[in-house]
Amino acid sequence: MSDPDTDRTEVRVKLPRYQKEEWADDADDLDMSQAEFVRTMVQAGRSDLGLEADTAPQATASAEPTSEGVDPRGGGLEERILRVLRQEEAMSWDDLLEEVVGDLEDRLDETMGELQQSGRVRFSGRDGGYVLTDE
């Protein structure tokens, strides 16, 4: 069954290259994915504009940890676990682990794609894996 609070959709934004690079650097500094960084900044901007979260309850819901609360780096594993258990009521260790690791695997895949696209990392069969490029 589909859950409107965790279903994902894509938003595309066109912006100057320098701005994307700044955002990518800012996200790296905060140890966030670029997607998480943009979501966090949009939500912060909504708050500054006086738009309350309850005016669009699904806007703050995310299938990955968010930067809400006291942890600005988005490491909200505890909140993620509590959110999943509220939805599922009971989960086996293996199912819970898959829920959390699956999220991390998605974030790792997204981040590695971004690093390769920006030319900061490449895959080298000769070296046996991913390597940094000369930045």
Side-chain angles (χ1 to χ4, degrees), residues 15 19 24 40 48 50 52 87 95 107-108 113 124 132 134-135:
L15 60 148
Q19 192 170 33
T40 301
D48 286 349
E52 297 298 323
Q87 292 173 355
D95 289 343
R107 291 177 69 190
L108 175 62
S124 169
L132 291 175
D134 295 329
E135 295 181 55

Side-chain angles (χ1 to χ4, degrees), residues 25-91:
D25 289 343
D26 291 342
D28 285 344
D29 290 345
L30 294 169
D31 195 28
M32 294 175 146
S33 70
Q34 288 182 31
E36 182 182 7
F37 176 80
V38 171
R39 277 194 307 274
T40 301
M41 294 303 108
V42 168
Q43 285 305 108
R46 292 181 78 237
S47 296
D48 286 349
L49 292 171
L51 300 173
E52 297 298 323
D54 58 83
T55 62
Q58 295 171 5
T60 59
S62 172
E64 73 179 70
T66 63
S67 297
E68 299 167 358
V70 297
D71 186 357
R73 296 184 184 268
L77 181 59
E78 181 177 308
E79 281 303 312
R80 173 77 175 123
I81 292 168
L82 294 173
R83 186 171 34 248
V84 168
L85 290 175
R86 281 186 200 108
Q87 292 173 355
E88 301 297 326
E89 294 183 20
M91 292 183 81

Side-chain angles (χ1 to χ4, degrees), residues 97-128:
L97 181 62
E98 177 61 34
E99 188 73 30
V100 174
V101 170
D103 182 55
L104 179 60
E105 186 175 13
D106 292 344
R107 291 177 69 190
L108 175 62
D109 183 55
E110 176 184 348
T111 302
M112 290 305 294
E114 291 166 357
L115 289 170
Q116 289 177 84
Q117 186 175 25
S118 70
R120 296 173 63 192
V121 171
R122 68 179 173 82
F123 183 82
S124 169
R126 173 180 265 174
D127 293 323

